Amino acid sequence: MTAQAQIKASFPVRRMDFEFNEVPKYWFADDPFLTHFLSSLSSLFPEGEFFFVTSMRNVRDQIDDPVLQKEISAFIGQEAMHSKEHKVFNDYATAHGIDLDSFHSRVGKLLKFGHKILSHKQQVAVTCALEHFTATIAAQLMKRTDWNEQMNDPVMRKMWLWHAVEESEHKSVTYDVYQKLYKDYPTRAGAMIAAWSILAVVLADQQVRLMAKDGQLLNGKSWAKGMWSLFGYKGFLTELTLPLLDYFRPGFHPEDHDSEALEKKYKEMLSFQG
Ligand SMILES: [Fe+2]
Ligand SMILES: [Fe+2]
């Protein structure tokens, strides 16, 4: 075995195969708003993660560090598996009247346009920004047991926690690639502002569409509960503000946000070996 072949990534690629047949319509807190919010996020993953993977494939031949090469391969493996499982769920939801597939194609078109107009460097910068978003949300989902315990379907809870563990495990890969190749702060910060602004608009738009399609647009109780849970005191997104903004710090590195204990806890809970 060559020395190169002996190098291993710091995290594994786990093969998953979830069955969503028993997932209830409102699988989060029996609530339309919050269920649709998370399903809306799920609708973004297949195309979004394909964008991340492509941005890495575009530049990986410029990386001569064999350890980082292994990390990139494992990153691609994990993201491909996330895309696959979220796509299966999204198709299941679509078949049951929660149309997530139409969002795929819209987001797919948007990201294809991104591939066309952005340089490789800008694509990696957008990927880094969105990877910080997913890593921050992942850590929050693991930390906030009061949130993840509201997933009232065991398959959905397992899928989201598996995804959260792996987003934490690979949170530094794209950032390390960006720093190794470019180290350009203005592009990194600018990509963050652009990516998050677009993401906020897409999520708001999708939330209204899902609530309307489900006949819940005037369900004031669900809107109030959902908005407070996300943006109120100790809201799920409110608490993300500082860790997200930390990305603007010039010396920022994803590992500054230690999530090892959370990863360990949920790997044990989910009976993952590695
Ligand atoms: Fe992912
Ligand atoms: Fe990721």
Side-chain angles (χ1 to χ4, degrees), residues 103 106 204-214 217:
F103 296 156
R106 284 193 328 150
D205 173 68
Q206 291 190 172
Q207 188 70 26
V208 172
R209 283 171 193 264
L210 283 174
M211 291 294 274
K213 193 90 192 287
D214 191 24
L217 202 54

Side-chain angles (χ1 to χ4, degrees), residues 171-192:
K171 67 184 175 191
S172 297
V173 178
T174 62
Y175 192 86
D176 287 342
V177 168
Y178 184 82
Q179 289 299 83
K180 197 137 216 156
L181 294 179
Y182 308 115
K183 268 201 188 116
D184 174 7
Y185 177 80
T187 302
R188 171 166 83 78
M192 182 212 202

